[in-house]
């Protein structure tokens, strides 16, 4: 049985409240199991020089989403405009578990392009509308992407239902960026010189962070950094 974060438990309760919505939770759990168990560890084989993008990273991002958004989730009042809607939470959680899976077949610059992976799944399981919005939200998680260019705010259907995909994309990007710590760096690879020079900067950045923790109660982010002086002046290959 999968261990759930509080925000996932709230999502389950939202879906359980209505037989029509129950399948959203069932689909999410199905895809979470498939992706984390069968897909993400393949990235280590496909991209051995990269920082950790395994199922551990996905769970860490879910944990960050929980810290960032749990105060905006109320399973008893999810129709209230102050809280994240059920379908919004579904899209957000699905986007988290899908956001790096394309690294199996794509390079770093294109790994936010989910089209080849997500279209492997039948439209009966994952509708075309769901695929479209998960792809757009995932595409935004790369820091070079401009969210407002990928997701415009003129989609009347979503606005009428109180769905704000730009907000969801922002939360995914922030949660992903907040998952930096020594655990993501390949320390053995760094010492043995097996990390490609173009990837070394990402490992060194991760290595410098002892932890990043969003604190919703104070609307702040706690950051712990420790590094050696010479590392601050290290030059990297472009």
């Amino acid at each position: 049985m999968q261990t759930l974060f509080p925000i996932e438990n709230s999502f389950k309760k939202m879906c359980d409240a209505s037989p029509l919505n129950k399948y959203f939770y069932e689909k999410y759990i199905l895809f979470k199991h498939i992706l984390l168990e069968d897909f993400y560890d393949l990235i280590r084989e496909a991209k051995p020089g990269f920082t950790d993008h395994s199922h551990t990273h996905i769970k860490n991002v879910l944990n960050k989403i929980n810290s960032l958004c749990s105060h905006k989730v109320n399973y008893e009042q999810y129709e209230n405009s102050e809280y994240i809607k059920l379908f919004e939470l579904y899209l957000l959680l699905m986007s988290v578990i899908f956001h790096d899976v394309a690294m199996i077949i794509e390079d770093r610059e294109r790994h936010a392009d989910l089209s080849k992976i997500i279209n492997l799944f039948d439209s009966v399981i994952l509708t075309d509308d769901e695929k479209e919005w998960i792809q757009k939200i995932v595409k935004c998680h790369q820091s070079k992407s401009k969210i407002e260019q990928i997701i415009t705010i003129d989609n009347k259907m979503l606005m009428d239902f109180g769905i704000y995909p730009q907000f969801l994309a922002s939360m995914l990007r922030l949660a992903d960026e907040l998952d930096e710590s020594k655990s993501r760096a390949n320390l053995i690879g760094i010492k043995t010189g097996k990390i490609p020079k173009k990837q070394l900067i990402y490992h060194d950045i991760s290595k410098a962070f002892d932890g990043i923790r969003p604190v919703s109660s104070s609307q702040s982010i706690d950051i712990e950094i420790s590094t050696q002086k010479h590392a601050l002046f290290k030059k990297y290959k472009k």
Side-chain angles (χ1 to χ4, degrees):
M1 185 175 180
Q2 296 184 30
T3 301
L4 299 178
F5 291 102
I7 198 168
E8 293 175 303
N9 273 318
S10 293
F11 177 57
K12 182 180 185 300
K13 290 177 180 178
M14 287 181 186
C15 294
D16 285 346
S18 169
L20 295 176
N21 293 327
K22 194 171 182 178
Y23 78 102
F24 284 118
Y25 176 76
E26 292 172 349
K27 281 204 295 186
Y28 168 68
I29 290 299
L30 172 64
F31 276 103
K32 183 182 178 184
H33 177 77
I34 291 172
L35 295 174
L36 270 63
E37 297 295 326
D38 298 333
F39 279 73
Y40 272 100
D41 283 346
L42 295 176
I43 296 174
R44 287 177 174 169
E45 300 174 21
K47 303 292 189 298
F50 282 35
T51 52
D52 179 40
H53 284 80
S54 69
H55 67 275
T56 301
H57 168 59
I58 302 304
K59 290 178 180 178
N60 288 343
V61 175
L62 282 170
N63 190 27
K64 303 298 184 187
I65 286 289
N66 182 73
S67 298
L68 291 167
C69 299
S70 59
H71 67 292
K72 295 293 290 182
V73 175
N74 187 323
Y75 67 89
E76 294 178 332
Q77 299 186 50
Y78 66 86
E79 294 299 335
N80 188 317
S81 60
E82 294 184 12
Y83 298 103
I84 296 175
K85 301 288 191 298
L86 185 152
F87 190 62
E88 281 185 303
L89 190 52
Y90 169 73
L91 289 178
L92 179 57
L93 293 175
M94 289 289 279
S95 297
V96 170
I97 61 175
F98 267 104
H99 83 272
D100 276 338
V101 73
M103 289 184 74
I104 296 172
I105 57 174
E106 301 287 4
D107 58 24
R108 183 178 289 277
E109 296 301 317
R110 288 183 50 81
H111 84 276
D113 182 355
L114 196 57
S115 57
K116 292 179 183 177
I117 296 290
I118 204 166
N119 286 322
L120 293 173
F121 300 101
D122 193 280
S123 294
V124 174
I125 300 173
L126 203 58
T127 69
D128 290 339
D129 285 340
E130 289 170 351
K131 289 179 182 179
E132 176 187 355
W133 286 107
I134 292 169
Q135 285 185 83
K136 286 183 176 180
I137 293 167
V138 166
K139 190 172 183 180
C140 292
H141 90 270
Q142 280 188 305
S143 58
K144 292 180 180 179
S145 303
K146 291 186 177 181
I147 293 175
E148 67 274 13
Q149 292 180 355
I150 297 171
I151 300 177
T152 60
I153 60 173
D154 59 356
N155 189 297
K156 191 174 186 304
M157 182 193 76
L158 291 181
M159 296 297 286
D160 286 347
F161 283 96
I163 308 297
Y164 298 95
Q166 286 189 344
F167 165 74
L168 304 179
S170 299
M171 288 298 98
L172 172 59
R173 179 186 288 188
L174 179 57
D176 186 45
E177 294 291 343
L178 291 177
D179 184 34
E180 287 292 355
S181 68
K182 286 180 171 61
S183 64
R184 294 196 67 192
N186 185 339
L187 301 180
I188 295 175
I190 293 172
K191 288 182 178 179
T192 57
K194 293 185 177 180
I195 303 298
K197 290 182 178 180
K198 287 186 176 181
Q199 300 299 327
L200 189 58
I201 186 172
Y202 300 106
H203 292 267
D204 281 347
I205 289 172
S206 292
K207 189 174 67 170
F209 285 93
D210 291 322
I212 304 178
R213 186 172 65 94
V215 184
S216 60
S217 58
S218 59
Q219 295 186 329
S220 62
I221 298 173
D222 290 345
I223 301 176
E224 297 178 20
I225 300 176
S226 61
T227 189
Q228 296 178 331
K229 187 176 180 180
H230 69 84
L232 299 174
F233 302 97
K234 188 174 180 179
K235 294 183 178 180
Y236 295 90
K237 185 176 181 180
K238 292 184 178 180

